[in-house]
Amino acid sequence: MILTGVISDLPFINCFYNTIIHMKKLTIIINPSSGQPLPVIPQISDFAEQNRFSWEILTTRKQGDASLFAKQALEKRADVVLVYGGDGTVMEVAESLMNTETPLYIIPGGTANILAKELQIPLMTEQALKLLTNPETNIKRIDMGTVNKKPFILRVNSGVLADMIIEADPNAKVSFGQLAYSFSAVQQFANTQSIQYSITIDGETERLQGITLTIANSGNIGFSGVSFTPDIKVDDGLLDILVLRENTIGSLAGVITGAVINRTIHEQLAHWRVKKATISMHPGQSVLRDDVMLKETTLEIETVPSAISIATPL
C-alpha cells in the first residue's frame, strides 16, 4: 500500500513551499506486523500534513520490502527515510542507506527496539516524530558491521542468544513484549551444549569452550542505558566479541547482574574488541545477523565506521 501527501496539487504552490520553506521529502516505511500493533498510519500521515512535508507511506508485506523501499527512496532523492517497525525492519532499511548521506529517522514499533534504546530515541510515536521538526535534532553517524560481507547494525548472535529469538512465541511477544525473550531464553538455556570457538585476530588464534557468542556493534541488552559493558559503543569504530563460557544459571545471572547493577563485565564472559576477525564454531549453531538467519559456521567479521546517519535527540 502507498499513501502520498503534499501541501497542494498546484505546481506553483508546491514550488513555493519547496523553495521558500524547504519542504522535506519523506519516504515513510511501515511494518504493520511489528511487535506494537498500533494505528500509526493516521498518526504519521497527520503529522506529515501538519508540517507541510511531501510524503509517501509504504507498508511492507514480506522480508526484503523495507530494503527495496529504502533503495527506491534514494532513487527519488528523498530528504529523509523514516521507518516504523522493530530492529529487523530498521536493519533492512539501514542496509540500503549504508554509506549514504540520507538520514534515517526511527519510530520504534517492535518488541525490543534495541537500537532506539541505544541511541535514546523516544519510544512513543508522538515524541519520536518530533525529531523531524526539532531544530536541535542531532544527525549522528554510527558504525555498522559486516559478517561474511553481509551488513548488520546491532549484532550477530549464535547459540542460546540466537535460539532465544528464533523460538520466542509470537503471541507471547504481543502479550509480554520483551519478556517473551526471557521466557524463551530459560527454555533454550536448559538444553544448551558446549561449543568450540576458534577466534583469529591479527593472525593469532584463541580457542575456547562456550555456550553462546555475540558480535556486538550495539551493547544495549533491551533496556535504556543498560549494556553488556559500558565500553561497547556504536561509534567507536570497533566490534566487540563476547563468549559466555559456562552453561550455568549462575553465570548467566552474573552477566545480567554485572550489566544492570555493576556496569561491569562478568568473568565468565570472554571479551575482545576488534576491527576484523575470523570465528569458527564446532558443532554448527543457529546464527542470526540482526534478525536474519545465517547458515555459515565460519564468520568473517569487519567493522564499517561511520556507515549511516541516524536522527537522535541532542
Side-chain angles (χ1 to χ4, degrees):
M1 179 175 68
I2 303 177
L3 298 176
T4 62
V6 294
I7 197 165
S8 169
D9 291 329
L10 298 175
F12 72 91
I13 295 293
N14 281 330
C15 180
F16 171 80
Y17 278 113
N18 277 294
T19 303
I20 303 302
I21 63 173
H22 306 291
M23 184 198 305
K24 288 182 181 177
K25 184 178 180 182
L26 274 61
T27 293
I28 302 164
I29 300 169
I30 293 180
N31 179 358
S33 61
S34 62
Q36 307 282 339
L38 299 173
V40 295
I41 291 180
Q43 188 175 5
I44 294 175
S45 60
D46 287 349
F47 184 89
E49 287 285 359
Q50 291 165 10
N51 288 279
R52 299 175 173 175
F53 297 144
S54 170
W55 55 274
E56 65 175 353
I57 289 180
L58 308 170
T59 57
T60 64
R61 297 179 183 273
K62 61 184 183 301
Q63 185 174 319
D65 280 354
S67 178
L68 174 62
F69 294 157
K71 289 177 183 176
Q72 292 172 350
L74 293 176
E75 293 170 358
K76 296 175 183 178
R77 299 185 181 276
D79 297 311
V80 164
V81 175
L82 183 148
V83 58
Y84 172 89
D87 289 313
T89 310
V90 171
M91 172 58 227
E92 281 196 34
V93 174
E95 183 173 354
S96 293
L97 298 186
M98 185 175 176
N99 294 326
T100 74
E101 297 300 320
T102 303
L104 172 61
Y105 284 67
I106 298 171
I107 310 297
T111 301
N113 301 308
I114 296 290
L115 187 58
K117 291 170 182 173
E118 174 80 40
L119 298 175
Q120 300 181 354
I121 294 169
L123 299 181
M124 300 299 292
T125 298
E126 180 181 1
Q127 297 301 316
L129 282 170
K130 289 180 180 178
L131 291 176
L132 282 163
T133 55
N134 188 339
E136 294 186 347
T137 294
N138 179 38
I139 304 300
K140 181 182 179 70
R141 296 295 295 189
I142 72 166
D143 306 332
M144 292 178 65
T146 61
V147 53
N148 296 352
K149 301 188 182 304
K150 298 173 183 177
F152 65 94
I153 197 166
L154 289 174
R155 58 187 65 118
V156 175
N157 288 322
S158 81
V160 171
L161 292 179
D163 293 333
M164 170 188 79
I165 297 169
I166 295 167
E167 301 298 333
D169 186 333
N171 293 325
K173 289 167 66 176
V174 173
S175 300
F176 301 105
Q178 195 172 337
L179 283 176
Y181 293 131
S182 300
F183 304 150
S184 178
V186 170
Q187 296 173 338
Q188 301 303 320
F189 199 86
N191 300 318
T192 298
Q193 296 181 346
S194 187
I195 307 160
Q196 176 72 43
Y197 293 106
S198 296
I199 301 174
T200 302
I201 304 168
D202 295 332
E204 300 290 330
T205 299
E206 184 167 348
R207 295 176 176 82
L208 74 162
Q209 298 286 119
I211 63 161
T212 191
L213 165 81
T214 290
I215 302 159
N217 183 45
S218 163
N220 185 277
I221 62 173
F223 303 95
S224 295
V226 180
S227 176
F228 286 113
T229 168
D231 293 339
I232 302 177
K233 305 292 184 184
V234 292
D235 58 356
D236 61 3
L238 298 170
L239 297 172
D240 291 72
I241 303 171
L242 302 158
V243 175
L244 181 60
R245 292 188 177 97
E246 284 191 355
N247 182 11
T248 67
I249 295 296
S251 63
L252 182 61
V255 170
I256 295 172
T257 300
V260 175
I261 298 176
N262 301 324
R263 305 296 175 92
T264 59
I265 194 163
H266 191 265
E267 62 182 8
Q268 286 300 325
L269 202 59
H271 182 203
W272 298 263
R273 311 192 74 215
V274 305
K275 291 185 177 180
K276 61 191 304 184
T278 301
I279 303 165
S280 62
M281 301 169 288
H282 183 78
Q285 300 291 304
S286 299
V287 178
L288 281 180
R289 171 180 61 99
D290 287 330
D291 283 348
V292 180
M293 283 282 293
L294 294 176
K295 296 182 179 180
E296 294 91 336
T297 57
T298 297
L299 308 176
E300 300 276 352
I301 64 167
E302 186 168 359
T303 187
V304 184
S306 301
I308 188 169
S309 298
I310 299 185
T312 70
L314 188 63

